[in-house]
Amino acid sequence: MEAVGQLAGGIAHDFNNILTAIMSSGELLKMKIGSGNPLKTYVEYIMDASNRGASLVKKLLAFSRKEAFYPVTANLNEIIEGIGPLIKKIVPEDIDIHITPSHEVLTVMADRSLIEQVIINLVANSRDAMPSGGVISIGTGIMKLDDTFTGTHADLSRGEYAVVTVSDTGAGMDERTRERIFEPFFTTKEVGKGTGLGLSSAYGIIKQHNGGIHAHSTAGIGTTMTILLPLVHAAGEVTETEEAALPPGGNETILLVEDDPIVRGVTQSLLKEFGYTVIVAADGADAITLFAENKDKIRLALLDMIMPRMNGKEAYEFMKKMAPDIKTIFMSGYAEDILKTRSIIEDGLQYISKPVSPVELLTMVRKVLDEEI
Ligand SMILES: Nc1ncnc2c1ncn2[C@@H]1O[C@H](COP(=O)(O)OP(=O)(O)OP(=O)(O)O)[C@@H](O)[C@H]1O
Ligand SMILES: [Mg+2]
Protein backbone atom coordinates (compact mmCIF):
# COMPACT_ATOMS: atom_id res chain seq x y z
CA MET A 1 0.00 0.00 0.00
CA GLU A 2 2.89 2.34 0.87
CA ALA A 3 4.63 1.72 -2.48
CA VAL A 4 1.44 2.26 -4.45
CA GLY A 5 0.92 5.45 -2.48
CA GLN A 6 4.34 6.76 -3.45
CA LEU A 7 3.85 5.86 -7.08
CA ALA A 8 0.43 7.49 -7.10
CA GLY A 9 1.78 10.65 -5.51
CA GLY A 10 4.58 10.87 -8.06
CA ILE A 11 2.31 10.48 -11.03
CA ALA A 12 -0.27 12.86 -9.66
CA HIS A 13 2.29 15.65 -9.38
CA ASP A 14 3.02 15.70 -13.12
CA PHE A 15 -0.56 14.94 -13.93
CA ASN A 16 -1.74 18.09 -12.22
CA ASN A 17 0.43 20.17 -14.55
CA ILE A 18 -0.96 18.37 -17.58
CA LEU A 19 -4.53 18.83 -16.36
CA THR A 20 -3.99 22.50 -15.60
CA ALA A 21 -2.91 22.99 -19.21
CA ILE A 22 -5.88 21.06 -20.62
CA MET A 23 -8.44 22.76 -18.39
CA SER A 24 -7.18 26.27 -19.06
CA SER A 25 -6.93 25.69 -22.82
CA GLY A 26 -10.45 24.25 -22.82
CA GLU A 27 -11.75 27.27 -20.95
CA LEU A 28 -10.07 29.66 -23.40
CA LEU A 29 -11.43 27.72 -26.35
CA LYS A 30 -14.93 27.88 -24.87
CA MET A 31 -14.69 31.63 -24.53
CA LYS A 32 -13.37 32.10 -28.06
CA ILE A 33 -15.83 30.00 -30.02
CA GLY A 34 -19.04 31.38 -28.55
CA SER A 35 -22.22 29.51 -27.61
CA GLY A 36 -23.65 28.98 -31.11
CA ASN A 37 -20.61 27.16 -32.47
CA PRO A 38 -21.13 23.47 -33.36
CA LEU A 39 -17.59 22.74 -32.10
CA LYS A 40 -18.79 23.55 -28.58
CA THR A 41 -19.69 19.89 -28.00
CA TYR A 42 -16.07 18.88 -28.41
CA VAL A 43 -14.90 21.56 -26.01
CA GLU A 44 -17.40 20.24 -23.50
CA TYR A 45 -15.98 16.76 -23.93
CA ILE A 46 -12.53 18.15 -23.18
CA MET A 47 -13.78 19.92 -20.06
CA ASP A 48 -15.73 16.90 -18.82
CA ALA A 49 -12.84 14.54 -19.40
CA SER A 50 -10.31 16.80 -17.71
CA ASN A 51 -12.63 17.29 -14.74
CA ARG A 52 -12.88 13.53 -14.43
CA GLY A 53 -9.11 13.33 -14.64
CA ALA A 54 -8.81 15.93 -11.91
CA SER A 55 -11.11 13.98 -9.62
CA LEU A 56 -9.11 10.80 -10.24
CA VAL A 57 -5.87 12.56 -9.36
CA LYS A 58 -7.55 13.94 -6.26
CA LYS A 59 -8.44 10.42 -5.18
CA LEU A 60 -4.92 9.14 -5.85
CA LEU A 61 -3.41 12.02 -3.93
CA ALA A 62 -5.88 11.46 -1.11
CA PHE A 63 -4.83 7.85 -0.88
CA SER A 64 -1.14 8.71 -0.85
CA ARG A 65 -1.94 11.47 1.69
CA LYS A 66 -0.35 14.06 -0.49
CA GLU A 67 -3.45 16.02 -1.29
CA ALA A 68 -3.39 19.65 -0.25
CA PHE A 69 -5.06 19.62 3.12
CA TYR A 70 -6.43 22.57 5.07
CA PRO A 71 -7.85 21.47 8.40
CA VAL A 72 -9.71 24.03 10.48
CA THR A 73 -11.71 23.59 13.67
CA ALA A 74 -15.21 22.56 12.69
CA ASN A 75 -18.30 21.08 14.26
CA LEU A 76 -18.60 17.65 12.70
CA ASN A 77 -22.35 17.69 13.29
CA GLU A 78 -22.68 20.79 11.15
CA ILE A 79 -20.78 19.12 8.33
CA ILE A 80 -23.04 16.08 8.54
CA GLU A 81 -26.21 18.21 8.72
CA GLY A 82 -25.11 20.12 5.63
CA ILE A 83 -24.48 17.04 3.57
CA GLY A 84 -28.12 16.06 2.92
CA PRO A 85 -28.54 17.91 -0.38
CA LEU A 86 -25.28 16.45 -1.74
CA ILE A 87 -26.45 12.95 -0.87
CA LYS A 88 -29.89 13.40 -2.43
CA LYS A 89 -28.18 14.14 -5.74
CA ILE A 90 -26.52 10.74 -5.93
CA VAL A 91 -29.12 8.46 -4.34
CA PRO A 92 -32.31 7.26 -6.11
CA GLU A 93 -35.74 7.68 -4.58
CA ASP A 94 -36.20 4.07 -3.52
CA ILE A 95 -33.48 4.56 -0.91
CA ASP A 96 -34.49 6.27 2.36
CA ILE A 97 -31.92 8.49 3.99
CA HIS A 98 -31.89 9.12 7.72
CA ILE A 99 -29.43 11.68 9.00
CA THR A 100 -29.39 11.89 12.79
CA PRO A 101 -26.50 13.94 14.19
CA SER A 102 -26.09 13.81 17.96
CA HIS A 103 -26.92 16.91 20.02
CA GLU A 104 -23.45 17.81 21.27
CA VAL A 105 -20.96 20.01 19.47
CA LEU A 106 -18.32 17.70 18.00
CA THR A 107 -15.30 19.94 17.53
CA VAL A 108 -12.67 18.38 15.27
CA MET A 109 -9.81 19.60 13.10
CA ALA A 110 -11.13 18.85 9.66
CA ASP A 111 -10.92 19.81 6.05
CA ARG A 112 -14.61 20.10 5.36
CA SER A 113 -14.55 19.34 1.66
CA LEU A 114 -12.41 16.25 2.20
CA ILE A 115 -14.69 14.92 4.94
CA GLU A 116 -17.69 15.53 2.69
CA GLN A 117 -15.89 13.63 -0.05
CA VAL A 118 -15.39 10.67 2.30
CA ILE A 119 -19.07 10.59 3.32
CA ILE A 120 -20.16 10.86 -0.31
CA ASN A 121 -17.89 7.92 -1.21
CA LEU A 122 -19.42 5.83 1.57
CA VAL A 123 -22.96 6.76 0.56
CA ALA A 124 -22.21 5.92 -3.08
CA ASN A 125 -21.03 2.48 -2.00
CA SER A 126 -24.18 1.94 0.06
CA ARG A 127 -26.29 3.00 -2.89
CA ASP A 128 -24.50 0.52 -5.14
CA ALA A 129 -25.05 -2.23 -2.58
CA MET A 130 -28.83 -1.60 -2.67
CA PRO A 131 -29.90 -1.84 -6.31
CA SER A 132 -33.52 -2.42 -5.32
CA GLY A 133 -33.74 0.16 -2.57
CA GLY A 134 -33.22 0.22 1.17
CA VAL A 135 -32.16 2.52 3.97
CA ILE A 136 -29.00 4.55 4.56
CA SER A 137 -28.53 5.88 8.10
CA ILE A 138 -25.91 8.42 9.02
CA GLY A 139 -25.32 9.16 12.69
CA THR A 140 -22.70 10.78 14.91
CA GLY A 141 -21.55 10.45 18.50
CA ILE A 142 -18.55 10.32 20.82
CA MET A 143 -16.24 7.39 21.57
CA LYS A 144 -13.53 7.17 24.20
CA LEU A 145 -10.51 5.02 23.50
CA ASP A 146 -8.75 4.21 26.76
CA ASP A 147 -5.58 2.27 27.54
CA THR A 148 -7.37 -1.04 27.66
CA PHE A 149 -8.78 -0.54 24.16
CA THR A 150 -7.87 -3.39 21.81
CA GLY A 151 -10.73 -3.28 19.34
CA THR A 152 -10.81 -2.39 15.66
CA HIS A 153 -9.28 1.05 16.16
CA ALA A 154 -6.34 -0.23 18.22
CA ASP A 155 -3.92 1.66 15.95
CA LEU A 156 -5.26 5.02 17.15
CA SER A 157 -3.86 6.90 20.10
CA ARG A 158 -5.94 7.01 23.27
CA GLY A 159 -8.41 9.82 23.75
CA GLU A 160 -11.84 11.07 22.79
CA TYR A 161 -13.10 10.78 19.25
CA ALA A 162 -16.02 12.06 17.26
CA VAL A 163 -17.69 9.17 15.47
CA VAL A 164 -19.64 9.09 12.20
CA THR A 165 -21.39 5.92 11.12
CA VAL A 166 -22.83 5.26 7.70
CA SER A 167 -25.02 2.15 7.64
CA ASP A 168 -26.96 0.49 4.88
CA THR A 169 -29.34 -2.43 4.46
CA GLY A 170 -27.53 -3.60 1.33
CA ALA A 171 -25.79 -6.71 0.07
CA GLY A 172 -23.00 -6.59 2.64
CA MET A 173 -19.62 -8.26 2.15
CA ASP A 174 -18.00 -11.55 3.00
CA GLU A 175 -14.83 -11.57 5.09
CA ARG A 176 -12.48 -11.93 2.10
CA THR A 177 -13.90 -8.84 0.44
CA ARG A 178 -13.99 -6.84 3.66
CA GLU A 179 -10.28 -7.44 4.24
CA ARG A 180 -9.37 -5.83 0.93
CA ILE A 181 -11.76 -2.90 0.57
CA PHE A 182 -9.20 -0.19 1.45
CA GLU A 183 -6.71 -1.38 -1.17
CA PRO A 184 -6.44 1.04 -4.07
CA PHE A 185 -8.08 -0.29 -7.23
CA PHE A 186 -9.81 -3.12 -5.36
CA THR A 187 -13.35 -3.33 -6.69
CA THR A 188 -15.98 -6.01 -7.11
CA LYS A 189 -17.88 -3.84 -9.57
CA GLU A 190 -17.94 -4.52 -13.28
CA VAL A 191 -15.48 -2.78 -15.59
CA GLY A 192 -16.45 0.85 -16.06
CA LYS A 193 -18.59 0.91 -12.90
CA GLY A 194 -16.01 1.24 -10.15
CA THR A 195 -12.40 2.37 -10.02
CA GLY A 196 -11.79 0.89 -6.58
CA LEU A 197 -10.51 4.23 -5.34
CA GLY A 198 -13.48 5.32 -3.22
CA LEU A 199 -12.52 3.65 0.03
CA SER A 200 -8.76 3.87 -0.46
CA SER A 201 -9.05 7.64 -0.80
CA ALA A 202 -11.40 7.72 2.21
CA TYR A 203 -8.80 5.76 4.16
CA GLY A 204 -6.01 8.19 3.17
CA ILE A 205 -8.09 11.24 4.04
CA ILE A 206 -9.10 9.91 7.45
CA LYS A 207 -5.50 8.92 8.24
CA GLN A 208 -4.42 12.43 7.27
CA HIS A 209 -6.89 13.64 9.90
CA ASN A 210 -5.25 11.32 12.47
CA GLY A 211 -8.42 9.28 12.57
CA GLY A 212 -9.55 5.77 11.78
CA ILE A 213 -12.02 4.10 9.44
CA HIS A 214 -13.44 0.63 9.76
CA ALA A 215 -16.04 -1.60 8.11
CA HIS A 216 -18.41 -3.95 9.82
CA SER A 217 -20.47 -6.03 7.45
CA THR A 218 -22.62 -9.12 7.19
CA ALA A 219 -23.33 -10.60 3.77
CA GLY A 220 -27.03 -10.28 2.96
CA ILE A 221 -27.75 -7.96 5.92
CA GLY A 222 -25.82 -4.77 5.40
CA THR A 223 -22.74 -2.73 6.16
CA THR A 224 -21.76 -0.13 8.73
CA MET A 225 -18.74 2.06 8.08
CA THR A 226 -17.36 3.83 11.17
CA ILE A 227 -15.13 6.90 11.06
CA LEU A 228 -13.33 8.25 14.12
CA LEU A 229 -11.83 11.75 14.23
CA PRO A 230 -9.95 13.11 17.27
CA LEU A 231 -12.07 15.54 19.28
CA VAL A 232 -10.51 18.88 20.11
CA HIS A 233 -11.88 20.97 22.93
CA ALA A 234 -10.93 24.43 21.76
CA ALA A 235 -14.05 26.40 20.86
CA GLY A 236 -12.41 27.86 17.76
CA GLU A 237 -14.14 29.68 14.95
CA VAL A 238 -15.47 27.60 12.14
CA THR A 239 -14.14 29.00 8.91
CA GLU A 240 -16.04 28.55 5.71
CA THR A 241 -14.71 28.97 2.22
CA GLU A 242 -16.81 31.02 -0.16
CA GLU A 243 -18.09 29.87 -3.52
CA ALA A 244 -16.12 31.21 -6.47
CA ALA A 245 -17.99 33.83 -8.51
CA LEU A 246 -17.21 34.77 -12.10
CA PRO A 247 -14.04 36.82 -11.91
CA PRO A 248 -13.42 40.23 -13.45
CA GLY A 249 -10.08 40.85 -15.19
CA GLY A 250 -7.73 43.83 -14.88
CA ASN A 251 -4.88 45.69 -16.53
CA GLU A 252 -2.04 45.24 -14.04
CA THR A 253 1.30 43.66 -14.88
CA ILE A 254 1.86 40.18 -13.50
CA LEU A 255 5.10 38.23 -13.28
CA LEU A 256 4.35 34.57 -13.99
CA VAL A 257 7.03 32.13 -12.87
CA GLU A 258 6.48 28.51 -13.88
CA ASP A 259 8.94 25.89 -15.10
CA ASP A 260 6.44 23.74 -17.01
CA PRO A 261 6.27 25.33 -20.48
CA ILE A 262 2.70 24.24 -21.20
CA VAL A 263 1.30 25.43 -17.91
CA ARG A 264 3.25 28.66 -18.36
CA GLY A 265 1.87 29.14 -21.87
CA VAL A 266 -1.78 28.58 -21.07
CA THR A 267 -1.68 30.55 -17.84
CA GLN A 268 -0.12 33.44 -19.73
CA SER A 269 -2.86 33.29 -22.39
CA LEU A 270 -5.56 33.14 -19.77
CA LEU A 271 -4.27 36.17 -17.89
CA LYS A 272 -3.79 38.12 -21.14
CA GLU A 273 -7.29 37.22 -22.21
CA PHE A 274 -8.55 38.93 -19.05
CA GLY A 275 -6.61 42.10 -19.77
CA TYR A 276 -3.46 41.63 -17.73
CA THR A 277 0.06 42.27 -19.01
CA VAL A 278 2.17 39.20 -18.35
CA ILE A 279 5.93 38.86 -17.97
CA VAL A 280 7.04 35.21 -17.94
CA ALA A 281 9.97 33.51 -16.27
CA ALA A 282 10.91 29.83 -16.40
CA ASP A 283 12.41 29.55 -12.93
CA GLY A 284 13.20 31.49 -9.78
CA ALA A 285 16.56 32.80 -10.98
CA ASP A 286 15.01 34.12 -14.21
CA ALA A 287 12.24 35.62 -12.14
CA ILE A 288 14.45 37.79 -9.98
CA THR A 289 16.36 39.11 -12.99
CA LEU A 290 13.12 40.05 -14.73
CA PHE A 291 11.71 41.42 -11.52
CA ALA A 292 14.72 43.67 -10.99
CA GLU A 293 14.25 45.09 -14.51
CA ASN A 294 10.49 45.61 -14.18
CA LYS A 295 9.83 46.10 -10.51
CA ASP A 296 8.04 49.42 -10.97
CA LYS A 297 5.47 47.82 -13.25
CA ILE A 298 4.93 44.41 -11.63
CA ARG A 299 2.05 44.41 -9.18
CA LEU A 300 1.82 40.67 -8.55
CA ALA A 301 4.08 37.62 -8.79
CA LEU A 302 2.48 34.26 -9.54
CA LEU A 303 5.01 31.67 -8.46
CA ASP A 304 5.21 27.94 -8.91
CA MET A 305 6.54 26.39 -5.73
CA ILE A 306 9.01 23.75 -6.90
CA MET A 307 11.29 24.77 -9.76
CA PRO A 308 14.88 24.06 -10.81
CA ARG A 309 17.70 26.46 -9.84
CA MET A 310 15.66 28.49 -7.36
CA ASN A 311 12.28 27.66 -5.90
CA GLY A 312 9.30 29.97 -5.60
CA LYS A 313 9.76 30.83 -1.96
CA GLU A 314 13.43 31.73 -2.39
CA ALA A 315 12.63 33.90 -5.39
CA TYR A 316 9.93 35.61 -3.33
CA GLU A 317 12.42 36.42 -0.57
CA PHE A 318 14.69 38.14 -3.11
CA MET A 319 11.83 40.10 -4.64
CA LYS A 320 10.61 41.18 -1.24
CA LYS A 321 14.00 42.77 -0.56
CA MET A 322 13.70 44.77 -3.79
CA ALA A 323 10.04 45.69 -3.30
CA PRO A 324 8.75 45.00 0.23
CA ASP A 325 5.07 45.26 -0.69
CA ILE A 326 5.10 42.97 -3.74
CA LYS A 327 2.00 40.80 -3.85
CA THR A 328 2.33 37.07 -4.46
CA ILE A 329 0.38 33.92 -5.09
CA PHE A 330 2.08 30.53 -4.88
CA MET A 331 0.95 27.59 -6.99
CA SER A 332 1.59 23.93 -6.45
CA GLY A 333 0.01 20.52 -6.65
CA TYR A 334 1.42 18.83 -3.64
CA ALA A 335 0.76 18.96 0.06
CA GLU A 336 4.43 18.10 0.55
CA ASP A 337 5.55 21.20 -1.24
CA ILE A 338 3.66 23.24 1.30
CA LEU A 339 5.13 21.26 4.14
CA LYS A 340 8.64 21.86 2.80
CA THR A 341 7.92 25.54 2.68
CA ARG A 342 5.61 25.64 5.64
CA SER A 343 6.43 29.27 6.20
CA ILE A 344 4.20 30.10 3.23
CA ILE A 345 1.15 29.26 5.26
CA GLU A 346 2.64 30.62 8.47
CA ASP A 347 3.41 33.94 6.81
CA GLY A 348 -0.19 34.13 5.64
CA LEU A 349 0.83 34.10 1.97
CA GLN A 350 -1.68 33.16 -0.71
CA TYR A 351 -1.57 29.66 -2.08
CA ILE A 352 -3.49 27.93 -4.87
CA SER A 353 -3.31 24.20 -5.63
CA LYS A 354 -3.01 22.53 -9.02
CA PRO A 355 -4.76 21.63 -11.17
CA VAL A 356 -5.61 25.32 -11.07
CA SER A 357 -9.07 26.01 -12.41
CA PRO A 358 -9.12 29.21 -14.48
CA VAL A 359 -12.01 30.69 -12.47
CA GLU A 360 -10.24 30.01 -9.20
CA LEU A 361 -7.00 31.53 -10.43
CA LEU A 362 -8.59 34.67 -11.88
CA THR A 363 -10.65 35.17 -8.74
CA MET A 364 -7.62 34.92 -6.51
CA VAL A 365 -5.52 37.19 -8.73
CA ARG A 366 -8.19 39.87 -8.56
CA LYS A 367 -8.64 39.46 -4.83
CA VAL A 368 -4.95 39.72 -4.05
CA LEU A 369 -4.49 42.71 -6.36
CA ASP A 370 -7.39 44.51 -4.70
CA GLU A 371 -6.19 43.87 -1.17
CA GLU A 372 -4.87 46.86 0.78
CA ILE A 373 -1.41 46.27 2.14
N1 LIG B 1 -21.53 -0.48 1.68
C1 LIG B 1 -21.01 -1.51 1.02
N2 LIG B 1 -21.70 -2.66 0.85
C2 LIG B 1 -21.17 -3.70 0.18
N3 LIG B 1 -19.93 -3.70 -0.36
C3 LIG B 1 -19.19 -2.60 -0.24
C4 LIG B 1 -19.67 -1.44 0.46
N4 LIG B 1 -18.70 -0.52 0.44
C5 LIG B 1 -17.67 -1.04 -0.24
N5 LIG B 1 -17.94 -2.29 -0.66
C6 LIG B 1 -17.03 -3.16 -1.42
O1 LIG B 1 -15.74 -2.60 -1.41
C7 LIG B 1 -15.26 -2.43 -2.76
C8 LIG B 1 -14.34 -1.24 -2.82
O2 LIG B 1 -15.05 -0.02 -2.60
P1 LIG B 1 -14.49 1.33 -3.19
O3 LIG B 1 -15.42 2.42 -2.82
O4 LIG B 1 -13.07 1.49 -2.78
O5 LIG B 1 -14.47 1.09 -4.76
P2 LIG B 1 -15.71 0.99 -5.76
O6 LIG B 1 -16.95 1.50 -5.11
O7 LIG B 1 -15.74 -0.41 -6.29
O8 LIG B 1 -15.26 1.99 -6.91
P3 LIG B 1 -15.27 3.62 -6.82
O9 LIG B 1 -15.64 4.00 -5.42
O10 LIG B 1 -13.86 4.02 -7.15
O11 LIG B 1 -16.24 4.04 -7.83
C9 LIG B 1 -16.52 -2.34 -3.60
O12 LIG B 1 -16.27 -2.72 -4.93
C10 LIG B 1 -17.44 -3.32 -2.86
O13 LIG B 1 -17.15 -4.64 -3.21
MG1 LIG C 1 -16.99 3.33 -4.09
Side-chain angles (χ1 to χ4, degrees):
M1 298 260 281
E2 198 57 37
V4 177
Q6 268 179 21
L7 178 69
I11 293 173
H13 187 68
D14 282 345
F15 233 78
N16 273 334
N17 276 339
I18 298 170
L19 285 169
T20 301
I22 299 175
M23 285 160 88
S24 304
S25 306
E27 195 70 46
L28 283 168
L29 213 55
K30 203 164 104 188
M31 282 169 42
K32 290 274 165 192
I33 65 173
S35 55
N37 196 308
L39 294 176
K40 202 172 149 241
T41 321
Y42 299 117
V43 178
E44 271 157 14
Y45 285 150
I46 296 176
M47 299 304 285
D48 282 354
S50 52
N51 282 330
R52 268 175 52 198
S55 106
L56 220 88
V57 175
K58 221 169 137 64
K59 285 182 186 171
L60 280 174
L61 279 176
F63 169 67
S64 59
R65 291 176 230 168
K66 291 196 169 96
E67 188 173 27
F69 167 63
Y70 306 105
V72 295
T73 50
N75 180 358
L76 187 62
N77 274 333
E78 257 175 40
I79 299 181
I80 299 299
E81 272 157 18
I83 212 162
L86 288 174
I87 290 177
K88 288 207 178 78
K89 274 193 200 152
I90 62 158
V91 170
E93 278 177 3
D94 58 356
I95 293 178
D96 281 333
I97 303 160
H98 301 294
I99 302 180
T100 46
S102 65
H103 296 296
E104 60 271 85
V105 173
L106 301 177
T107 309
V108 293
M109 285 299 290
D111 183 317
R112 181 177 189 135
S113 69
L114 292 181
I115 296 298
E116 284 173 351
Q117 196 183 312
V118 169
I119 307 291
I120 295 296
N121 285 348
L122 298 186
V123 168
N125 285 345
S126 292
R127 173 203 62 202
D128 295 345
M130 299 188 291
S132 40
V135 181
I136 298 177
S137 316
I138 303 177
T140 61
I142 290 179
M143 192 192 276
K144 216 179 218 155
L145 299 188
D146 59 26
D147 290 334
T148 58
F149 195 85
T150 52
T152 42
H153 293 289
D155 56 324
L156 297 179
S157 46
R158 313 296 83 161
E160 279 197 312
Y161 287 83
V163 184
V164 189
T165 53
V166 178
S167 307
D168 63 61
T169 56
M173 296 170 250
D174 57 23
E175 189 55 25
R176 276 187 44 218
T177 303
R178 200 192 55 81
E179 277 172 359
R180 299 191 56 194
I181 53 174
F182 296 115
E183 284 176 27
F185 303 112
F186 174 79
T187 179
T188 58
K189 293 168 191 171
E190 54 190 276
V191 180
K193 281 272 166 66
T195 55
L197 284 172
L199 286 180
S200 50
S201 64
Y203 174 88
I205 290 169
I206 297 303
K207 282 285 161 200
Q208 209 171 19
H209 282 81
N210 297 318
I213 178 166
H214 177 76
H216 180 84
S217 186
T218 312
I221 305 280
T223 303
T224 296
M225 300 295 300
T226 310
I227 296 169
L228 268 64
L229 295 174
L231 272 178
V232 292
H233 288 287
E237 289 249 320
V238 179
T239 356
E240 296 274 345
T241 43
E242 278 169 35
E243 284 282 310
L246 252 181
N251 51 19
E252 292 90 343
T253 299
I254 297 174
L255 175 65
L256 167 67
V257 192
E258 162 69 60
D259 61 326
D260 188 304
I262 302 176
V263 176
R264 191 169 64 233
V266 288
T267 311
Q268 180 184 16
S269 309
L270 183 74
L271 291 169
K272 270 185 161 166
E273 206 58 52
F274 278 77
Y276 299 103
T277 303
V278 188
I279 299 174
V280 291
D283 59 44
D286 253 10
I288 51 175
T289 315
L290 285 167
F291 186 76
E293 288 165 10
N294 298 285
K295 68 174 185 304
D296 297 333
K297 279 187 281 177
I298 295 170
R299 302 276 296 112
L300 170 78
L302 200 56
L303 290 156
D304 190 23
M305 201 87 89
I306 304 297
M307 291 178 294
R309 296 214 283 166
M310 182 188 286
N311 74 30
K313 184 72 197 304
E314 286 162 354
Y316 168 70
E317 298 296 345
F318 271 101
M319 289 180 207
K320 219 172 111 178
K321 279 188 197 129
M322 291 186 252
D325 44 4
I326 176 68
K327 295 178 168 179
T328 18
I329 299 172
F330 290 94
M331 306 183 283
S332 192
Y334 231 167
E336 255 178 25
D337 295 357
I338 321 173
L339 292 181
K340 273 186 212 144
T341 37
R342 230 216 132 101
S343 50
I344 285 180
I345 292 179
E346 279 158 11
D347 294 354
L349 297 169
Q350 295 294 341
Y351 169 87
I352 189 165
S353 51
K354 289 178 180 172
V356 181
S357 96
V359 172
E360 211 185 331
L361 178 70
L362 290 163
T363 307
M364 188 179 259
V365 163
R366 202 55 259 161
K367 188 185 130 224
V368 171
L369 281 170
D370 290 339
E371 261 166 17
E372 300 281 336
I373 312 176

